[in-house]
Amino acid sequence: MLCVRPAFVFGEIWTVSSPFHEENGPQPPKVLKAPVEILANLRLLQQHHDPLIITFHDRNQRFQSYLVEVDRDRGLVALDEMIPNDGERFLRNGETFRIESFHEGVRIAWETQQAATVGEFEGDRCYWCALPDEVTYHQRRNAFRATLKQSQWVPIELDGDKLSAPYKGVMLDVSATGCRLRFEGDLSGRLQPGQVYERFSAKLSIGPITTPVELRHLQFDEKTGMSFVGIRFHNMSGLVQRNIERFVYQLQREARRFEKDDLF
């Protein structure tokens, strides 16, 4: 059985009145200041291994990291080593930086004004930073997005006229409008954001689907050796659209039924 974790928003389970549409649509950015709200959202980033994008003030270079620990008692968070690792030089100089990440269509961002320190967490190198006093939270997607458990990732295949061979991977999450995929290896030189690929197939629990898709973004994680790809369904047939909506609705109902009280 597929299970999903519902999004935790401002101390509540986010639910919608219909399977695929939130009545109010995407929300404007909000600033979270309550510690319980900040901790809950940071722990989501940690638990789901969502990549962090780090930028230093007055510098154009972007760095990638991950949130590896949230220590409420000490008022600290630990960041994994930066990619590329020359970002550590800016940290050692005491430069302030901004962190931005995305979880299930929600942008979560904050600034670190205090100097970070280089240390260790569970034997691995990390950077300790102060727990933020406020976090910007921006729900921009109006379609329910279901995150699949690792044991139930959906096998997928991406193919198209401009590809020499299909790429096989897994579906990590899905909404009525698109999904997030994971592939082994670095596909950044072989797949192009904005390109439409004519044949995307997925073996959903309710039956297989095939549809064209548009590739929206691609990110290669050097540490895991995996490429993470976001796609939007493109010119779906009525049958495919209904099957995807049925699948998402099934996941949403399971989320409400089985994980309503599991916030962390």
Side-chain angles (χ1 to χ4, degrees):
M1 177 179 294
L2 292 173
C3 295
V4 299
R5 173 180 292 276
F8 179 81
V9 182
F10 313 128
E12 299 178 352
I13 292 289
W14 174 52
T15 58
V16 295
S17 57
S18 69
F20 323 112
H21 175 71
E22 187 186 7
E23 290 180 343
N24 296 325
Q27 300 297 307
K30 295 187 178 183
V31 178
L32 307 183
K33 295 185 178 182
V36 65
E37 296 174 342
I38 293 174
L39 288 167
N41 282 280
L42 295 184
R43 283 172 177 154
L44 280 179
L45 299 181
Q46 175 193 355
Q47 292 167 359
H48 289 267
H49 201 58
D50 295 315
L52 310 179
I53 301 300
I54 298 176
T55 54
F56 291 86
H57 292 285
D58 301 323
R59 297 186 184 275
N60 295 325
Q61 192 172 4
R62 294 156 61 92
F63 302 88
Q64 179 177 293
S65 184
Y66 294 90
L67 191 57
V68 295
E69 174 66 350
V70 179
D71 192 328
R72 179 177 185 175
D73 296 333
R74 296 168 59 197
L76 297 173
V77 297
L79 306 180
D80 200 358
E81 289 188 87
M82 288 191 187
I83 301 173
N85 60 14
D86 56 351
E88 183 174 313
R89 175 164 50 92
F90 304 141
L91 281 180
R92 289 184 176 277
N93 292 338
E95 297 186 26
T96 60
F97 54 94
R98 183 172 182 80
I99 299 176
E100 179 183 59
S101 189
F102 294 86
H103 179 76
E104 298 183 4
V106 176
R107 177 178 176 269
I108 300 173
W110 68 96
E111 293 196 18
T112 298
Q113 300 293 342
Q114 302 178 31
T117 59
V118 180
E120 287 190 356
F121 176 71
E122 295 183 347
D124 294 322
R125 191 179 186 84
C126 74
Y127 312 116
W128 290 102
C129 313
L131 194 68
D133 294 326
E134 60 182 43
V135 167
T136 299
Y137 181 103
H138 190 189
Q139 169 66 55
R140 305 192 298 180
R141 178 185 292 122
N142 61 2
F144 176 84
R145 180 165 291 260
T147 301
L148 282 64
K149 289 180 62 176
Q150 182 173 351
S151 60
Q152 298 294 341
W153 284 341
V154 173
I156 64 92
E157 184 174 279
L158 182 65
D159 196 6
D161 296 343
K162 294 187 177 181
L163 297 179
S164 58
Y167 295 108
K168 294 184 178 181
V170 293
M171 179 188 295
L172 304 180
D173 62 37
V174 60
S175 75
T177 58
C179 58
R180 188 164 68 103
L181 314 173
R182 192 194 75 178
F183 298 89
E184 293 188 3
D186 185 1
L187 301 186
S188 56
R190 290 174 275 178
L191 298 178
Q192 300 298 323
Q195 178 67 47
V196 173
Y197 296 96
E198 295 82 2
R199 294 175 295 280
F200 167 80
S201 58
K203 297 179 180 179
L204 306 181
S205 60
I206 62 173
I209 62 164
T210 301
T211 183
V213 296
E214 177 190 357
L215 195 147
R216 302 303 300 272
H217 60 81
L218 186 152
Q219 186 172 45
F220 174 63
D221 180 2
E222 293 184 5
K223 191 165 187 177
T224 63
M226 300 288 182
S227 292
F228 296 88
V229 173
I231 62 171
R232 180 180 293 273
F233 302 127
H234 182 77
N235 290 339
M236 287 184 290
S237 69
L239 176 60
V240 169
Q241 183 172 4
R242 287 191 296 272
N243 284 339
I244 291 173
E245 290 177 349
R246 281 178 53 211
F247 182 57
V248 174
Y249 186 40
Q250 170 186 311
L251 296 176
Q252 184 184 28
R253 290 200 313 176
E254 292 175 0
R256 288 173 170 173
R257 183 182 307 145
F258 298 113
E259 299 194 21
K260 186 174 183 180
D261 298 323
D262 183 17
L263 302 182
F264 299 95

